[in-house]
Amino acid sequence: MTKKILMVCLGNICRSPMAKAILIKKLKEKSIDWVEIDSAGTSDYHIGGKADHRTIESGKKHGIDLSSHRGRQFEREDFEKFDLIYAMDSENHANILYHARTEDEAKKVNLILNELNPGSNQSVPDPWFGGEKDFEKVFTMLDKACDIIVQKIQKEEK
Ligand code: 4NP
């Protein structure tokens, strides 16, 4: 059965496209082809827009091509389409949960850093006002969190 995972941030041009691309790369390396990943933003600021140039640069450094990304807004129907919804920070986590209609829908939502540090409720800092270093920091956090997500998926497979 296909598993569907959605990464969500505010603008869908920095953190969530990066999280999506990192996870896709890691799954490909493990030949896991039964997981689908997408990303979205809770805001409508960058619908149809490309990833931030700093996101693209950061990806390039790590062998990831983000040039084809286009922004889209999170929608209520995403609860029906996805099995897991990872929020990048607590504000977006709250915004997503606001749209949940059932307990089962609410249970699909988690902060991505809770995979790395369970129960810590930490946020991936918004790098929008930052520089290259901040994007690199975000990349490292997401890379570690995605390692854990892949480990979990591998266990499910068994
Ligand atoms: P993201 O970063 O949520 O990680 O994509 C941001 C991108 C754009 C804005 C804020 C955060 N903005 O205000 O336009």
Side-chain angles (χ1 to χ4, degrees):
M1 207 177 74
T2 309
K3 189 184 181 76
K4 294 184 179 174
I5 299 176
L6 182 66
M7 304 290 190
V8 184
C9 60
L10 176 63
N12 192 216
I13 56 169
C14 300
R15 292 164 292 178
S16 63
M18 206 181 251
K20 171 186 168 178
I22 291 170
L23 189 53
I24 286 176
K25 184 171 186 249
K26 289 185 187 293
L27 292 171
K28 205 171 171 191
E29 283 165 3
K30 303 276 183 196
S31 301
I32 296 171
D33 61 1
W34 49 278
V35 183
E36 285 176 22
I37 325 285
D38 198 10
S39 71
T42 53
S43 77
D44 60 2
Y45 306 154
H46 299 280
I47 295 172
K50 290 184 179 180
D52 187 281
H53 65 95
R54 297 161 298 178
T55 309
I56 294 177
E57 277 310 307
S58 175
K60 257 188 208 162
K61 272 188 222 156
H62 299 275
I64 291 173
D65 180 14
L66 279 146
S67 61
S68 64
H69 172 78
R70 294 296 179 270
R72 80 159 175 97
Q73 189 171 21
F74 176 81
E75 50 190 19
R76 223 221 69 81
E77 290 71 33
D78 286 324
F79 278 112
E80 283 136 45
K81 293 180 192 156
F82 293 89
D83 305 297
L84 273 177
I85 301 173
Y86 285 120
M88 299 297 122
D89 65 36
S90 48
E91 211 174 347
N92 289 299
H93 184 256
N95 283 338
I96 299 162
L97 277 183
Y98 176 79
H99 295 283
R101 285 191 190 140
T102 63
E103 261 308 299
D104 280 348
E105 286 186 351
K107 274 189 211 154
K108 293 181 176 187
V109 192
N110 198 5
L111 282 162
I112 193 166
L113 291 185
N114 275 346
E115 292 293 11
L116 194 59
N117 304 308
S120 65
N121 293 332
Q122 288 170 326
S123 292
V124 179
D126 184 348
W128 174 249
F129 291 108
E132 200 183 316
K133 262 191 191 162
D134 301 286
F135 277 78
E136 203 49 36
K137 239 187 200 170
V138 165
F139 187 96
T140 304
M141 285 179 179
L142 293 176
D143 194 65
K144 286 182 186 165
C146 286
D147 276 336
I148 309 289
I149 295 170
V150 172
Q151 280 172 26
K152 278 193 167 180
I153 290 171
Q154 278 181 304
K155 273 184 199 155
E156 283 170 22
E157 199 179 21
K158 280 172 196 164

